[in-house]
Amino acid sequence: MSTATVTSKGQITIPKSIRERLNIQAGDRVNFFIDNDDIVTFLPAKTDIRELKGIIPKPRIPVTIEDMNRAIKDGGSKI
C-alpha cells in the first residue's frame, strides 16, 4: 500500500509506484470518484478527443439540416 500526506494547501504527491502503474505524467489531470461508502477512486483523465473519432458509426442515410430543424421543432412542441 502507498501513502501520501496532505499539505496545508490540500495537495498530495501521488507516490511514484502509482504514477508509473497508471502512466501519469507531470501536467496530467485525474478524475476523483466517491462512492456511497466514501471510498475514493481516482483515474487518469487522459482521453484525447481524437481518440473518440469513429466510436459512433456514420448514419446509413445522411441527415439534412432541414431534417434536423424539423426534428427540433417537433420535439420542442411536445414539451
Side-chain angles (χ1 to χ4, degrees):
M1 177 168 66
S2 298
T3 304
T5 303
V6 179
T7 68
S8 61
K9 293 183 179 184
Q11 300 171 335
I12 62 168
T13 298
I14 301 169
K16 183 179 180 182
S17 60
I18 304 295
R19 292 192 316 266
E20 288 175 346
R21 172 97 182 241
L22 297 177
N23 194 27
I24 297 172
Q25 307 294 321
D28 286 350
R29 299 180 68 83
V30 295
N31 292 323
F32 290 86
F33 306 93
I34 303 175
D35 68 13
N36 292 334
D37 297 321
D38 289 337
I39 296 175
V40 178
T41 305
F42 80 93
L43 297 169
K46 291 185 155 233
T47 303
D48 186 319
I49 192 70
R50 292 172 289 198
E51 293 176 27
L52 301 177
K53 182 179 180 183
I55 64 169
I56 299 175
K58 290 184 180 180
R60 292 183 193 141
I61 301 171
V63 180
T64 66
I65 295 293
E66 291 79 18
D67 291 337
M68 287 187 251
N69 287 335
R70 190 177 312 103
I72 292 168
K73 181 181 176 186
D74 293 346
S77 64
K78 294 178 185 176
I79 296 176

